[in-house]
Amino acid sequence: MTEGDIMRSIMVALSADGHFVAHANIGLFFTAEGRPIKTGLPKGFSDLFGFRASDCRFFALEVKSPKGRPSPEQLAFIAAMKNRGALAAIVRSVEDARRAVNGG
């Protein structure tokens, strides 16, 4: 199962649980003059984010495949979110995501 497959499964499951969950796409494009423009969120921002249904607490989930490794920027983002009271975690399955969102 790819990270994309895992991410889609997590989005469906958390939405079914009543939570608000979103994924923001980022990218790079070039103007007609050839100038690069980056779009989206800061480097390290988690793949999925949202609000827990029970109390609207913010969560951020970095989705990884079983062998995937988070970057230093992703780890720093997760730590920053936790320091600010958010639920944040590296997740590799629907079960991990549910534990991170419901157990915190």
Side-chain angles (χ1 to χ4, degrees), residues 43-81:
K43 193 170 186 176
F45 195 94
S46 292
D47 294 314
L48 299 177
F49 61 97
F51 296 93
R52 185 164 66 179
S54 61
D55 57 5
C56 292
R57 190 167 172 194
F58 181 80
F59 63 82
L61 304 174
E62 181 60 41
V63 179
K64 293 293 175 193
S65 67
K67 293 183 180 181
R69 295 188 347 223
S71 70
E73 293 87 359
Q74 291 166 337
L75 292 172
F77 183 81
I78 294 288
M81 291 298 98

Side-chain angles (χ1 to χ4, degrees), residues 26-30 35-39:
I26 60 169
L28 174 70
F29 71 93
F30 294 88
R35 187 170 51 101
I37 304 286
K38 287 185 179 182
T39 64

Side-chain angles (χ1 to χ4, degrees), residues 2-17 19-26 41-42 44-52 57-65 74 77-78 81 86-98 100-101:
T2 67
E3 282 185 12
D5 295 333
I6 297 166
M7 187 172 2
R8 284 184 288 280
S9 296
I10 289 170
M11 290 182 76
V12 169
L14 292 182
S15 293
D17 291 347
H19 307 298
F20 170 79
V21 59
H23 169 70
N25 290 318
I26 60 169
L41 300 166
F45 195 94
S46 292
D47 294 314
L48 299 177
F49 61 97
F51 296 93
R52 185 164 66 179
R57 190 167 172 194
F58 181 80
F59 63 82
L61 304 174
E62 181 60 41
V63 179
K64 293 293 175 193
S65 67
Q74 291 166 337
F77 183 81
I78 294 288
M81 291 298 98
L87 303 165
I90 307 296
V91 297
R92 298 175 189 280
S93 66
V94 168
E95 294 77 21
D96 286 352
R98 282 182 163 149
V101 172

